[in-house]
Amino acid sequence: MAGYATVTYLTGDQAERAFERIIGDSAALESVLEQVEQVAPTDSTVLIEGETGTGKELIAHAVHNASQRCGRAFIKLNCAAIPLDLLESELFGHEKGAFTGAIAQKIGRFEMADKGTLFLDEVGDIPPALQPKLLRVLQEQEFERLGSGRTHKVDVRLVAATNRDLLKMVARGQFRSDLYYRLNVFPILLPALRERREDIPALVTHFVKLFSRRMGKQIDSIPPETMAAFQSHSWPGNIRELQNLVERAVILSRDGLLSYPLYKKQTELMPPSGHLTRTFRSSMTLEDSDRGLIVETLEQARWIVGGPRGAAAKLGLKRTTLLAKMRRSGISRPISREGANMAGAA
């Protein structure tokens, strides 16, 4: 019908392809992916916020892959990695002779991303003098290269990311309010890894397989105490820190067992007493490590799931999340001998 936009929803296969590199099934991550599915079919600007190492570029890729621009260019630029005097040229390009050292014409990232998606990481580092030009291209979809008076029109979908509080920067006069509101059309806040601890076993397993394959090392199992140590760490560097630590662990591992490379700092890494302080059995396969960790924690907690002394608290999970994992893994409380006798008598 004329005058109305068509809303396109992702099929199961489309969503799977868009999110194939994103690991985890926690409620916090599922909420993020639902937002991606909502905004991806549009051309709206997306602002991805979150701490360093939470996977902002992966989410930006997911927005692009789930959009109608999938198959077109996905161009990225880390605004903090480019010297300030070269950032304008990187974004908009320049003509030969536009400045000292400009020995040839250069195409900027906006032109490269025409009909596709431009991902600007660390957008909070764009200097104030350049912010009006970015605002203009977002509003008008046009710009001029440095050293040229010719206006170029582009069709670009912008996804921006930052680990800084842009609203506080606006209050301090460090970031233009009109640019902030233009970027903040659809904000997505990524949870820190400590807020989605239930995803850590899957992430560890993924990175173990990745690095063991790259290094040609055979890793057969992850001891429960190793997985417990990974889950108890605070992860200030989030998934990037976890990835690097798993890589180190694979390098140090012997006899097919994954060792935890930070045991010397164990007192700093472990949570308060009562959390994951238990006796562990022998090592398990990669696929069984998550299930084994849950069972051992339940046994230590005498099969109490909720409450401050329950297994959910010891694992850093919500009660409902642990119950869901138990159902998926087929974990149920064993029937006691007294209960079995009563059942037989009945």
Side-chain angles (χ1 to χ4, degrees), residues 147-182:
S148 171
R150 179 188 170 192
T151 298
H152 294 267
K153 298 286 290 186
V154 288
D155 173 16
V156 173
R157 200 264 183 88
L158 183 74
V159 178
T162 183
N163 60 5
R164 306 177 69 176
D165 190 329
L166 295 185
L167 203 53
K168 287 184 178 180
M169 293 179 65
V170 169
R172 294 193 297 263
Q174 298 172 334
F175 203 84
R176 290 178 63 106
S177 60
D178 47 4
L179 177 57
Y180 168 74
Y181 292 116
R182 187 65 186 81

Side-chain angles (χ1 to χ4, degrees), residues 318-343:
K318 293 182 180 178
R319 177 180 173 275
T320 53
T321 301
L322 179 54
L323 288 172
K325 283 181 171 288
M326 290 171 63
R327 284 194 298 270
R328 285 199 299 269
S329 301
I331 299 172
S332 59
R333 182 171 183 168
I335 300 175
S336 64
R337 180 176 301 177
E338 292 80 3
N341 291 336
M342 291 178 64

Side-chain angles (χ1 to χ4, degrees), residues 34-48:
E34 286 176 8
Q35 294 175 69
V36 171
E37 285 191 314
Q38 290 174 326
V39 74
T42 74
D43 277 334
S44 298
T45 301
V46 178
L47 178 62
I48 304 172

